[in-house]
Amino acid sequence: FSLRKVGFAGLPEGETLEAGNVAMPLWPADCAVRPPRFASDFVDFLYEVDDRYFSEMHAFLKNDLGCKHPIKGTQASADYSSFFSLAKCDFIDVHGYWQHPRFGSNDREKDWSIVNEPMVNNRGETAAGLAMCRVRGMPFQVSEYGHPAPNTFCAEGIPTVASIAALQDWDGVTLFNYSKDNRFVQNMITSFFEHKSHPVKLVTMPFGALVFRRGDVSPALEETTVGIALDTLKRFTLKNVKKDAGIAAMGVTWLDVFTHRISLSLGSEIIPDFLPAQRNIAVSDTGELTYDLSNKDAGALVVNTARSKAVVGFGAGREFDLGDLVLRPGPTMQNGFSTITASAVSGADFRSPGARILLTATGYVENTDMGWNEDKTSVSDQWGKGPVMCEGIPFEAVFKASAIEA
């Protein structure tokens, strides 16, 4: 046998509480080699500083400067501040991106990649995760949302987030971003986030606006409130667990998000009954949204309201009876993936005399001569040129009306 020194479990040599020279940890790994109480004390310190900052800054802006507009803290997201701190402000704000680019070296223009897959096959992951960040009784908005290019499933983004936002009765959703410069007219997709020249994002905006702003999708009838204590959030931080992932571990799933409203009750530890995780179809308690994941490789989100209807995802070969409209999506370049929307731009419903229906069908798009790598996860700095090439989506639409003009 032999003994070797491989590390330490205590303060490094020369550091003592008495001397007041205990070093600040810079990374979670720094805490891993210290005593458990060290990490716990450090997390307590972080939460106390966080709470004090937002309390004092909010009071300064409101009382000293006399600000009249609502004030938020920062985004209530995985690596930022505590819900308890942010709730000292006027509203809760979050950001969300489906498959945000992952950057490698310092050359962000060239060294990046994405996971090129559809959110509809992944339990509505990003948008559903945002729903787990709303604090009960407080206004809630998403100030950044996007499905970054060149993901080839971007057509699902706006209809999905708008439908969830309306069902969850959020107060606002802002798409990031319209343009990063002053060139407002371009004929190609220019970067990850811009909407101005991305055809499937632009063409689905009217549907998203009508669903959310006009209220075509109704707020859920019931609300499930999840209790969460400050000590629970601290445990997430100690274990380096993201807040929304930690809340999901408490039992909330995509089934709950697509069925009824979700909110957090700060300071409470009451855990409600959640829907059985074994289920694979969610139907909103309003009956207007159906999210079918019975085939994990061919998910479909269906919107069926009086004034807006849609089939988002892998609907090819299936018939969707949406009351006044029957949709039969056809085969596409991506195994039957498409987004087909129909909105009564005017008229109380699809049968109203003189009603005008906006019908859109979107799917795969890419720039001319786009320089994809072999596994289609990056184009580096080879974004290609205009015009954007758009897939034509085959489908049948049957309108149940006495007369129609196209």
Side-chain angles (χ1 to χ4, degrees):
F1 293 93
S2 64
L3 297 177
R4 300 184 184 184
K5 185 175 181 180
V6 294
F8 61 89
L11 295 177
E13 186 175 352
E15 288 188 10
T16 67
L17 288 174
E18 291 74 16
N21 63 349
V22 177
M24 178 81 74
L26 300 179
W27 304 98
D30 294 340
C31 289
V33 296
R34 306 291 187 94
R37 183 59 186 269
F38 175 94
S40 178
D41 285 350
F42 181 59
V43 168
D44 284 342
F45 162 75
L46 293 177
Y47 274 78
E48 289 169 9
V49 171
D50 190 59
D51 183 81
R52 187 166 63 249
Y53 170 79
F54 285 109
S55 296
E56 293 179 357
M57 182 60 76
H58 183 266
F60 171 71
L61 292 170
K62 286 286 188 180
N63 302 332
D64 295 11
L65 298 188
C67 290
K68 302 298 184 184
H69 56 75
I71 296 171
K72 73 168 185 178
T74 185
Q75 58 167 310
S77 189
D79 303 315
Y80 296 91
S81 289
S82 157
F83 289 116
F84 288 83
S85 301
L86 300 179
K88 302 289 179 67
C89 299
D90 300 325
F91 66 98
I92 300 296
D93 175 70
V94 291
H95 299 173
Y97 294 91
W98 169 245
Q99 301 301 2
H100 193 287
R102 302 171 180 178
F103 298 101
S105 65
N106 292 327
D107 191 347
R108 292 167 63 95
E109 297 294 326
K110 294 183 179 180
D111 190 5
W112 59 267
S113 65
I114 58 169
V115 178
N116 192 14
E117 60 184 25
M119 190 172 75
V120 74
N121 284 354
N122 289 273
R123 305 171 298 282
E125 191 172 283
T126 298
L130 298 179
M132 300 177 191
C133 296
R134 185 176 70 86
V135 175
R136 182 177 175 85
M138 292 194 68
F140 179 84
Q141 81 150 5
V142 179
S143 64
E144 290 185 22
Y145 188 84
H147 284 228
N151 187 300
T152 57
F153 299 94
C154 283
E156 67 182 348
I158 294 175
T160 302
V161 73
S163 298
I164 289 183
L167 180 72
Q168 293 291 325
D169 199 23
W170 296 344
D171 296 285
V173 178
T174 302
L175 304 174
F176 183 87
N177 63 351
Y178 187 77
S179 177
K180 68 177 182 179
D181 53 40
N182 59 3
R183 294 176 296 169
F184 288 111
V185 180
Q186 289 177 279
N187 67 343
M188 61 175 283
I189 300 168
T190 55
S191 67
F192 306 118
F193 308 114
E194 287 189 305
H195 284 65
K196 67 182 179 187
S197 51
H198 197 298
V200 303
K201 294 181 181 181
L202 290 174
V203 82
T204 52
M205 278 186 186
F207 177 85
L210 294 171
V211 160
F212 180 70
R213 295 179 57 192
R214 191 171 69 177
D216 288 5
V217 169
S218 304
L221 302 175
E222 298 180 359
E223 182 172 359
T224 294
T225 300
V226 184
I228 187 164
L230 180 58
D231 285 344
T232 302
L233 281 182
K234 290 182 178 180
R235 285 200 301 272
F236 293 163
T237 305
L238 279 167
K239 296 179 180 179
N240 203 25
V241 175
K242 293 184 177 182
K243 285 197 284 286
D244 52 356
I247 294 165
M250 296 162 66
V252 188
T253 72
W254 64 278
L255 294 160
D256 298 287
V257 172
F258 282 90
T259 302
H260 38 239
R261 294 187 77 198
I262 301 295
S263 64
L264 298 175
S265 177
L266 302 184
S268 166
E269 294 186 345
I270 298 175
I271 304 299
D273 293 329
F274 299 112
L275 295 172
Q278 295 76 21
R279 292 173 52 176
N280 48 36
I281 298 178
V283 180
S284 67
D285 61 15
T286 61
E288 294 180 338
L289 299 186
T290 302
Y291 187 4
D292 185 351
L293 264 177
S294 51
N295 181 342
K296 64 181 180 62
D297 298 317
L301 173 63
V302 178
V303 180
N304 185 11
T305 77
R307 303 177 80 183
S308 284
K309 304 176 188 295
V311 176
V312 180
F314 295 82
R318 300 165 61 185
E319 179 175 288
F320 299 88
D321 189 339
L322 308 179
D324 293 338
L325 174 66
V326 176
L327 288 176
R328 302 188 187 108
T332 65
M333 294 170 60
Q334 299 189 103
N335 301 315
F337 172 86
S338 64
T339 294
I340 302 172
T341 73
S343 301
V345 179
S346 62
D349 54 37
F350 280 44
R351 296 191 185 207
S352 297
R356 294 184 302 123
I357 312 300
L358 173 63
L359 192 64
T360 76
T362 53
Y364 185 99
V365 298
E366 66 175 25
N367 290 333
T368 301
D369 298 331
M370 210 163 202
W372 285 105
N373 61 4
E374 185 175 351
D375 55 359
K376 219 157 193 177
T377 57
S378 180
V379 298
S380 186
D381 60 349
Q382 304 301 307
W383 286 82
K385 60 186 179 182
V388 181
M389 308 299 290
C390 300
E391 173 187 15
I393 304 298
F395 68 97
E396 292 182 1
V398 181
F399 290 88
K400 299 177 183 178
S402 56
I404 189 169
E405 182 179 291

